[in-house]
Amino acid sequence: MKTHPLQRALFVALVIALILCCFLAPYAWIVSSSFKNQLTLFNDVTPLSWKAFFPVEGTLENYRTLFERTNVLRALLNTAIVAGGQVALTLLLCAMAAYSLTRIRFPGAKIVFVMILLTFLLPIEALMVPLYQVVSGLGLSNTLLGIMIPWIASPFGLFLLKQAFEELPVELEDAARIDGAGHVRIFFSIVLPNVKVPMLTLGLITFLFSWNSFLWPLVIVQDPAHQVIQVAIAQQGSPTQLPNWGETFAGATVATLPLILLFLLLQKYFTQGMTTSGIKG
Amino acid sequence: MADVSLKHVGKTYENASANTIEDLSLDIRSGEFVVLVGPSGCGKSTTLRMIAGLEELSDGQIWIGDRRVDELEPRERDIAMVFQNYALYPHMTVAQNMSFGLRLAGMEKVEIRRRVEAAAEVLDIGVLLDRRPRQLSGGQRQRVAMGRAMVRDPAVFLFDEPLSNLDAKLRGQMRAEIRRLHKRLKATTIYVTHDQVEAMTLADRVVVLHRGKIEQQGTPQELYERPATRFVAGFIGSPTMNFLPAEVVMSDDGVALKLDEAILPAPAAKAEGLAKRLGQPVEIGVRPEHFVVDAAPALTVTVDMAELLGPTTLVHFTFAGVACSAMLPPEHASGEGEQQKLRIAFDRISIFDPATGRAL
């Protein structure tokens, strides 16, 4: 029996809606709960009611106490500085490394590339202690630079950009050499403008990684004035009291908003870059 | 304009089992249009890239005018190059593409604009100056690439298979355009192609490369009519030359060639040389148009396939165990499976030594 196109479209829409619900429900609950008080917060969870996702008697109390007790704005600014700095330095470093590994012939280039990729295999947790020793040794503990510096040489970034550079026709660089450009001019005037999408993708991924990082900032920064948003939210309650989940959810909502805005603005490049790197990689 | 001289140039790549270019010497006169032609891997593009400075030499020297240039950077050689895939900068407009080199050289803006506009007028791309390469057709991109080379006013133009990405019709138009430009600019031009039609139609002189060495050089007509080797004979000309095994014999009329069962008199001009090779095998090269229909035929063959090409018909047949083709007037061409009576225009054939491939 042949399915009517409208039926088919409805079925597809239903499946998509179900998947969306599964993904969005936890976030909707967090946002909704951030407008509830501590007493009513878990009332509609078991048994699950639609009220869990909609604050019927909404209050801004959690946001008020969050901003009073915690220096959220300072933490947001710190996070923005760390994430922005990490993006800029990662892009510069990875692009230069990937370009030289792609285009400049030197002995051992392949070994260097494989060694860099091998660092992918190490879990972040395993690196915490040696990283702490190195960064502290450099006198960078309790600084914003200390939060970002271990992650700017990203093997993922190198891999992503190396793929992009390999797809760029060598003749473009040959033409630029004949036009009179040297390596530096070719890199900045010809190569970089033609790998905008992978650069934007790497920038976004780095920003997300940096913005959401928790463990490393927790380890390397003890001074609340230099703390980033994720750690600041987790530390906003007193260790001797039960956590105030309403405030925590308000903090999570505040911390997520900039990321959502950024993603909405640049999602085209993000998905494009991820698709390309997936196919070619 | 300048002379270009390659002196004993060699190129060996790391990990390569053989030299890519071996002891190549070539003198190109100022204003000459020289085409380097040969099959893939013969070293023609490598030679061009060495002249451009995009590849280092392993041996030898390159001179442009009275300067030795093989140790100079590409920008110092006074050359311009047009690439196979155009190599236009995708993020720049046509005008920016054309002026990039001039801007790097620090030329005055007024002069840059004058040169870009002049080149755009010659190439008829004036209306495209504000567009980006992705907004252009293949032919337009090729014109822009040529414009980028022209504005530099170089001593030598280098073309690396510039038409191979275009369709057949556009290729024909662009060939004429390049020829017209060369006549107008009179610049020394070195053009690389694997397409022998381009080589024949464009060149003042064709240089055939094979396995990194010059196989033969000369005017297109010289190469077509008097190929020095079997390789050149097979490479130049389309449809390709037929090669038939034969034996030098003595007949009642003098020196002759035994072709399958037929005994045919040797060409008068070659008889003396062939007399020294009596009883030895040779290879006869016959161009498809040198099979002619004759009332008193020397050969009768069965047609395997006939292709009507318009003004001529290409008749395929097997003779002496070799697949051959003959270009005949359509009204005299037989159909598939029919008998075709032919004669070979013996005064036009080439004869090769099967062992060395050299012409006799």
Side-chain angles (χ1 to χ4, degrees):
Chain A
M1 198 178 77
K2 209 174 173 184
T3 321
H4 194 276
L6 190 66
Q7 282 177 319
R8 191 179 152 77
L10 275 172
F11 176 73
V12 172
L14 194 70
V15 172
I16 291 172
L18 269 172
I19 295 171
L20 263 178
C21 282
C22 292
F23 276 99
L24 290 178
Y27 296 98
W29 183 66
I30 288 173
V31 176
S32 158
S33 302
S34 71
F35 294 102
K36 294 178 181 175
N37 62 45
Q38 183 80 346
L39 297 173
T40 60
L41 205 129
F42 294 103
N43 282 357
D44 304 311
V45 178
T46 46
L48 188 63
S49 149
W50 63 270
K51 289 178 186 169
F53 303 103
F54 296 97
V56 182
E57 292 169 12
T59 170
L60 290 172
E61 186 62 20
N62 292 325
Y63 287 91
R64 192 181 62 76
T65 45
L66 175 75
F67 278 88
E68 275 176 4
R69 279 205 225 161
T70 314
N71 198 346
V72 178
L73 291 178
R74 177 76 214 181
L76 277 173
L77 181 67
N78 287 344
T79 316
I81 293 169
V82 169
Q86 198 170 322
V87 167
L89 292 173
T90 301
L91 288 181
L92 187 70
L93 204 70
C94 288
M96 290 199 292
Y99 180 69
S100 55
L101 280 171
T102 313
R103 290 290 198 257
I104 300 171
R105 287 179 220 157
F106 62 91
K110 277 186 185 167
I111 296 170
V112 170
F113 182 57
V114 172
M115 295 291 283
I116 292 170
L117 285 192
L118 279 178
T119 62
F120 250 144
L121 304 177
L122 294 170
I124 288 175
E125 290 78 5
L127 294 169
M128 283 296 136
V129 174
L131 274 181
Y132 180 80
Q133 287 177 328
V134 171
V135 175
S136 296
L138 289 169
L140 294 174
S141 58
N142 269 323
T143 64
L144 298 183
L145 188 60
I147 301 176
M148 70 176 90
I149 207 162
W151 316 109
I152 55 176
S154 153
F156 169 74
L158 181 89
F159 179 73
L160 186 77
L161 294 183
K162 190 170 181 288
Q163 297 292 104
F165 291 147
E166 275 170 2
E167 283 168 31
L168 205 64
V170 181
E171 286 84 352
L172 282 184
E173 291 157 57
D174 288 343
R177 282 181 69 192
I178 286 175
D179 271 338
H183 271 307
V184 176
R185 168 70 78 167
I186 290 172
F187 181 69
F188 285 106
S189 297
I190 305 296
V191 175
L192 286 189
N194 286 298
V195 289
K196 268 186 204 158
V197 172
M199 291 284 280
L200 268 167
T201 306
L202 177 60
L204 264 174
I205 292 169
T206 306
F207 194 88
L208 285 175
F209 170 81
S210 179
W211 190 275
N212 289 327
S213 63
F214 175 78
L215 186 58
W216 174 247
L218 180 71
V219 170
I220 199 68
V221 173
Q222 289 80 45
D223 178 4
H226 290 99
Q227 201 46 277
V228 294
I229 188 74
Q230 307 296 349
V231 183
I233 294 164
Q235 290 178 336
Q236 42 94 16
S238 160
T240 55
Q241 291 174 331
L242 280 172
N244 183 333
W245 288 112
E247 273 181 50
T248 305
F249 290 156
T253 308
V254 169
T256 311
L257 275 177
L259 290 185
I260 293 174
L261 283 176
L262 193 73
F263 186 78
L264 287 177
L265 280 173
L266 301 173
Q267 63 167 324
K268 185 177 84 175
Y269 300 105
F270 185 76
T271 45
Q272 203 174 332
M274 290 305 279
T275 314
T276 311
S277 63
I279 291 167
K280 303 295 177 189
Chain B
M1 284 197 296
D3 296 336
V4 178
S5 185
L6 281 71
K7 297 179 180 177
H8 307 289
V9 167
K11 175 72 187 175
T12 311
Y13 286 104
E14 275 178 50
N15 306 323
S17 56
N19 292 348
T20 305
I21 303 289
E22 202 176 320
D23 194 22
L24 190 145
S25 292
L26 178 66
D27 289 310
I28 298 164
R29 294 183 304 275
S30 179
E32 194 178 13
F33 197 123
V34 168
V35 175
L36 305 182
V37 69
S40 295
C42 71
K44 55 191 187 298
S45 283
T46 305
T47 305
L48 196 78
R49 289 173 63 81
M50 287 194 292
I51 297 169
L54 299 172
E55 294 279 355
E56 284 181 13
L57 278 65
S58 305
D59 286 306
Q61 299 177 357
I62 296 177
W63 290 70
I64 295 178
D66 54 4
R67 288 191 313 151
R68 184 178 168 184
V69 298
D70 49 84
E71 287 180 351
L72 299 181
E73 283 294 310
R75 62 171 175 268
E76 298 167 315
R77 298 189 180 200
D78 199 10
I79 47 120
M81 186 160 171
V82 178
F83 294 85
Q84 181 177 0
N85 65 359
Y86 323 122
L88 298 177
Y89 311 125
H91 58 298
M92 295 186 195
T93 63
V94 167
Q96 287 167 340
N97 262 284
M98 289 169 72
S99 62
F100 183 66
L102 305 182
R103 282 184 277 136
L104 288 186
M107 190 176 278
E108 291 283 330
K109 278 184 181 174
V110 179
E111 177 60 11
I112 291 175
R113 196 170 160 182
R114 189 193 64 75
R115 287 196 187 197
V116 169
E117 285 175 357
E121 193 185 327
V122 171
L123 293 163
D124 198 20
I125 52 172
V127 293
L128 308 176
L129 286 176
D130 293 325
R131 292 196 197 167
R132 291 191 195 277
R134 65 172 176 275
Q135 298 170 298
L136 307 177
S137 67
Q140 288 170 332
R141 286 180 202 188
Q142 194 51 263
R143 281 167 195 268
V144 175
M146 281 160 54
R148 181 170 65 181
M150 274 173 65
V151 293
R152 293 166 59 88
D153 193 19
V156 182
F157 276 102
L158 306 174
F159 289 87
D160 188 6
E161 308 209 29
L163 306 184
S164 54
N165 285 352
L166 304 178
D167 62 48
K169 189 179 173 189
L170 202 52
R171 212 159 36 212
Q173 288 172 1
M174 289 305 291
R175 269 206 309 265
E177 187 92 352
I178 289 172
R179 191 69 200 158
R180 185 176 64 80
L181 266 176
H182 179 252
K183 277 188 179 162
R184 182 185 176 126
L185 302 172
K186 295 186 175 62
T188 311
T189 303
I190 307 172
Y191 187 106
V192 159
T193 181
H194 66 271
D195 182 345
Q196 53 91 25
V197 177
E198 270 174 44
M200 299 290 280
T201 51
L202 286 171
D204 294 328
R205 180 157 49 118
V206 178
V207 178
V208 182
L209 290 175
H210 182 44
R211 292 180 184 154
K213 290 180 178 172
I214 294 177
E215 192 85 6
Q216 186 180 1
Q217 54 179 306
T219 64
Q221 196 171 3
E222 278 169 4
L223 264 64
Y224 189 76
E225 292 181 353
R226 292 186 295 282
T229 64
R230 188 189 190 281
F231 174 81
V232 175
F235 192 79
I236 300 289
S238 178
T240 187
M241 183 182 261
N242 303 289
F243 295 99
L244 305 168
E247 186 187 338
V248 183
V249 293
M250 186 60 79
S251 72
D252 297 342
D253 301 323
V255 180
L257 293 164
K258 188 180 176 201
L259 260 168
D260 202 19
E261 295 305 314
I263 294 187
L264 308 165
K270 293 186 167 80
E272 197 179 330
L274 288 173
K276 295 173 194 162
R277 303 177 73 99
L278 277 178
Q280 289 182 22
V282 290
E283 205 166 20
I284 296 179
V286 186
R287 297 230 176 258
E289 65 272 27
H290 296 153
F291 280 109
V292 289
V293 179
D294 202 302
L299 313 168
T300 301
V301 297
T302 305
V303 175
D304 296 329
M305 190 173 73
E307 293 176 285
L308 179 64
L309 303 177
T312 58
T313 295
L314 193 61
V315 172
H316 298 271
F317 57 92
T318 305
F319 178 70
V322 179
C324 298
S325 59
M327 202 172 267
L328 305 173
E331 62 274 19
H332 293 136
S334 302
E336 202 173 307
E338 294 174 355
Q339 301 272 295
Q340 178 77 59
K341 293 178 176 178
L342 295 170
R343 179 172 62 79
I344 296 173
F346 250 58
D347 54 331
R348 309 294 297 275
I349 64 168
S350 302
I351 303 174
F352 303 100
D353 181 336
T356 63
R358 308 291 311 173
L360 297 172

